[in-house]
Amino acid sequence: MTVRKNQATLTADEKRRFVDALVALKRSGRYDAFVTTHNAFIMGDTDNGERTGHRSPSFLPWHRRFLLEFEQALQAVDSSVALPYWDWSTDRTAGASLWAPDFLGGSGRSLDGRVMDGPFAASTGNWPVNVRVDSRTYLRRALGAGVRELPTRAEVDSVLAMSTYDMAPWNSASDGFRNHLEGWRGVNLHNRVHVWVGGQMATGVSPNDPVFWLHHAFIDKLWAQWQSRHQGSGYVPTGGTPNVVDLNETMKPWNDVRPADMLDHTAHYTFDTD
């Protein structure tokens, strides 16, 4: 069984294997297909039309399935690899070990945001940005420039305390756990982290930055924690809701998986704190 660990506890060998698997996926072209998929959904998901990956109840099961597919692609390269998660409520600075040269590398230079160290720096030749929103072909970051502070543990706990998963109008104006976690309302958890990292992470092509996977693995972990705390409050809506994915409807682009199929993460992996 795959065990997803806090990135802060990874051994040097686990970091190396994870990075090597990422680079292998990148070289094969498989990695960029995930970037393309994510960008298509973030651009297509709107408050008043069909929405699947974002601004909607299926934000969490959609990303759970997306991450699972990516993790399986990594494991096809190296079966020992699991997606680590980044607890940004604890590792909240640009000096955290996450950003060290032996793992993800650090922030970008002030001139153009270009990441200059670590395995994903343009100088390594490992990480050309091919699916992009502008002409720049290198990984960019601006840690702490777009927003100064990452979410705190108290802010996380305030969202985990919400007892309702989601509610009408089932978009970025909704109240409830999903939308406060996604960040369109309230203390802003998920969205704020994307902006804090900056560079490609603040765009639809955010998976270009490998930290995307660690960020979303933590979002997924928070959903699992919420599920454990609120066992009487499941996924909604359950049926008959236009433009969003009901509990037993299939999710694009796979069309063979429903939110109902993604509710139990332990069927696929566990977390180190489970």
Side-chain angles (χ1 to χ4, degrees), residues 136-158:
R136 291 173 288 188
T137 59
Y138 47 83
L139 181 62
R140 293 181 290 113
R141 292 185 189 128
L143 304 184
V147 60
R148 291 183 59 187
E149 297 289 336
L150 287 165
T152 65
R153 188 66 224 182
E155 289 173 326
V156 169
D157 288 340
S158 73

Side-chain angles (χ1 to χ4, degrees), residues 47 51 54-60 159 162 164-192 226:
D47 272 344
R51 46 200 183 275
H54 309 86
R55 300 171 178 261
S56 66
S58 51
F59 167 71
L60 291 167
V159 174
M162 296 178 175
T164 301
Y165 178 78
D166 208 343
M167 61 184 69
W170 317 109
N171 59 21
S172 69
S174 299
D175 209 347
F177 168 73
R178 184 277 308 171
N179 201 31
H180 283 257
L181 178 61
E182 190 172 356
W184 300 109
R185 288 194 68 172
V187 295
N188 184 357
L189 300 183
H190 157 266
N191 289 347
R192 194 194 331 176
W226 182 87

Side-chain angles (χ1 to χ4, degrees), residues 86 93-101 104-106 117 141 143 196-197 209 211:
W86 167 34
T93 71
S97 61
L98 175 75
W99 308 112
L104 299 189
D117 68 340
R141 292 185 189 128
L143 304 184
W196 186 89
V197 175
D209 193 329
V211 78

Side-chain angles (χ1 to χ4, degrees), residues 67-142:
L67 263 66
L68 184 61
E69 184 177 17
F70 184 74
E71 186 171 58
Q72 291 168 344
L74 292 174
Q75 290 170 343
V77 175
D78 183 340
S79 61
S80 75
V81 170
L83 280 179
Y85 63 88
W86 167 34
D87 180 353
W88 28 254
S89 71
T90 299
D91 294 311
R92 304 181 65 245
T93 71
S97 61
L98 175 75
W99 308 112
D102 70 335
F103 199 27
L104 299 189
S107 192
R109 63 186 181 186
S110 58
L111 173 67
D112 54 12
R114 180 171 172 165
V115 173
M116 302 300 291
D117 68 340
F120 308 106
S123 59
T124 66
N126 291 332
W127 211 252
V129 173
N130 303 310
V131 184
R132 53 186 186 264
V133 293
D134 56 35
S135 62
R136 291 173 288 188
T137 59
Y138 47 83
L139 181 62
R140 293 181 290 113
R141 292 185 189 128

